[in-house]
Amino acid sequence: METQSAQLFVTCLVETLTPDVGLAAAEVLERLGVTVIVPDGLTCCGQPAFNGGFWDDARAMARHTIEVLSRSDAPVVVPSGSCADMIQHHYPELFAADPVYGPRAEALASRVYEFSEFLVDRLGQTDVGASFPGRLTYHASCHTLRGKGVTHQPLDLLAHLRDAELVELPGSQECCGFGGLFAIKMSDISGAMLSRKLDNLEQTGADAVVACDPSCLLHMAGGLHRRGSPVRALHLAQVLKGVEL
């Protein structure tokens, strides 16, 4: 495999709440021969402001992100489907009428990959030499599935884990109820959606649920903890790096 570099955009939630996810993503990439670059100066991609309707604030953060990630022409790997979707699809939308940042946003969007998408579609890897001693199930988070169009890539990677049993999650493509600001503004509905998701998770008998969006994982992990459930919520990168039950 040809040696190449990639910029890792770890995202706000990963950096502040789940740093193990960022470290795991870097370790898996390096195991596959990728030189990992973590650019100085990255902050928020602007998605919360964008979703909240504060587009001027989102543009300010997007301009900064474009500047930082344009110092190199290496592909950008994001261990979050929602943040990858924001940069790839909504940056061009934010700057559609901007003669300077519009083309720059389009250029950046063309080299942004969600983590599993980069491994499978860019590197051509489905077996990264990992194992998991237990039963796994997969939750297809909304932005990863519908925003980025990532469907089979995480499942292809999970299917090649040694010692793992992959079981189907009923309603795997249904929202877990997080939805960013939705979980705050519509907390009762969010809680009901989460409860249904957790019921489905527990029915599988899985030791862990895997997803590609840290925000969904945090939401599900909180619900599982409150239930006293032993089921763990793990990012795909953590599983591919190797975790102990």
Side-chain angles (χ1 to χ4, degrees), residues 167-230:
V167 295
E168 184 175 357
L169 172 65
S172 63
Q173 297 186 0
E174 295 176 3
C175 181
C176 71
F178 180 67
L181 295 176
F182 171 79
I184 299 173
K185 293 182 175 180
M186 304 286 186
S187 59
D188 289 344
I189 299 175
S190 172
M193 295 169 71
L194 175 62
S195 181
R196 183 170 63 183
K197 177 65 66 175
L198 299 185
D199 288 344
N200 288 340
L201 284 176
E202 292 179 329
Q203 287 174 20
T204 67
D207 299 297
V209 56
V210 182
C212 297
D213 258 300
S215 53
C216 301
L217 288 165
L218 287 167
H219 190 56
M220 291 187 289
L224 290 166
H225 176 73
R226 288 190 293 274
R227 285 189 174 198
S229 172

Side-chain angles (χ1 to χ4, degrees), residues 47-144:
Q47 182 186 178
F50 178 81
N51 290 344
F54 299 98
W55 281 29
D56 287 341
D57 293 330
R59 285 190 187 94
M61 288 180 272
R63 288 189 194 96
H64 175 76
T65 303
I66 291 170
E67 293 290 344
V68 173
L69 293 176
S70 296
R71 296 173 190 158
S72 166
D73 61 0
V76 178
V77 180
V78 191
S80 166
S82 59
C83 297
D85 176 52
M86 176 68 190
I87 298 171
Q88 185 175 22
H89 295 124
H90 297 304
Y91 277 19
E93 181 181 2
L94 282 171
F95 297 112
D98 190 315
V100 175
Y101 279 92
R104 297 187 72 185
E106 293 283 358
L108 175 59
S110 70
R111 52 190 176 88
V112 170
Y113 297 84
E114 180 273 329
F115 176 69
S116 71
E117 179 186 32
F118 184 77
L119 297 187
V120 176
D121 296 349
R122 180 68 182 253
L123 298 184
Q125 299 291 315
T126 54
D127 188 343
V128 302
S131 62
F132 184 87
R135 177 179 286 188
L136 294 170
T137 193
Y138 175 69
H139 164 68
S141 55
C142 296
H143 282 98
T144 300

